[in-house]
Amino acid sequence: MPYINVKLNTKESDDLREKIVDIVLENTTSILNKKKEVTSVLLELFSSKSWSIGGVNSPTFYLDIKITKGTNTKEQKAKYIEKTYEDFKELLGEINPASYIVIDEVDGDSWGFEGRTQEYRYIKSKL
């Protein structure tokens, strides 16, 4: 049940929004084995003038994904970061190397959906 926030400094278009969501959903489901139907994606686009790295305005992005702690291996997380970065680079062209992907692992008792924590769901599945 990931929550994903993607921020980009690029011109907005419906086509771009759709492609970014497709990349994020594909990699999240195929690499991290998350369920598409409970994966939430928030995409925010900003003017290139409002975002700088090292004092320079250049194409960049930031992706923050929250997943339940302990549900993915180091290898899966590394592959997710590598593949997602490469997919964004292919879509956007040259991007600043300081474009970040952050995987936040949240304890199962600290978040959930539909009013139930992930820990509750885990325990219930074992009964």
Side-chain angles (χ1 to χ4, degrees), residues 25 50 100 109 112:
L25 285 175
S50 66
Y100 294 99
D109 65 350

Side-chain angles (χ1 to χ4, degrees), residues 2 6 9 14 17 19 21 23-24 29 34 41 56 97 100 105 111 116-117 119 122:
V6 182
N9 67 342
D14 290 339
R17 281 184 176 280
K19 288 178 181 176
V21 170
I23 287 169
V24 171
T29 58
K34 303 305 181 192
V41 180
V56 177
Y100 294 99
E105 291 190 282
W111 81 318
R116 303 283 186 211
T117 67
E119 184 168 346
Y122 173 77

Side-chain angles (χ1 to χ4, degrees), residues 42-84:
L42 173 63
L43 178 58
E44 300 176 279
L45 300 172
F46 298 91
S47 159
S48 62
K49 294 177 183 178
S50 66
W51 193 338
S52 67
I53 298 173
V56 177
N57 298 94
S58 60
T60 189
F61 74 90
Y62 170 75
L63 184 150
D64 181 49
I65 177 172
K66 296 184 184 331
I67 61 172
T68 304
K69 187 174 183 177
T71 59
N72 290 101
T73 66
K74 287 182 180 186
E75 291 80 10
Q76 287 171 314
K77 292 181 282 185
K79 184 177 178 182
Y80 182 82
I81 290 170
E82 179 182 11
K83 177 81 166 87
T84 303

Side-chain angles (χ1 to χ4, degrees), residues 85-102:
Y85 181 87
E86 289 303 318
D87 289 348
F88 271 62
K89 189 174 178 182
E90 184 177 321
L91 176 64
L92 301 170
E94 273 309 306
I95 54 175
N96 193 299
S99 296
Y100 294 99
I101 298 170
V102 178

Side-chain angles (χ1 to χ4, degrees), residues 1-30:
M1 64 151 252
Y3 167 74
I4 305 163
N5 182 230
V6 182
K7 298 174 191 247
L8 296 143
N9 67 342
T10 188
K11 188 175 180 180
E12 185 168 351
S13 78
D14 290 339
D15 184 53
L16 180 64
R17 281 184 176 280
E18 186 177 313
K19 288 178 181 176
I20 290 168
V21 170
D22 287 346
I23 287 169
V24 171
L25 285 175
E26 173 61 28
N27 291 344
T28 302
T29 58
S30 68

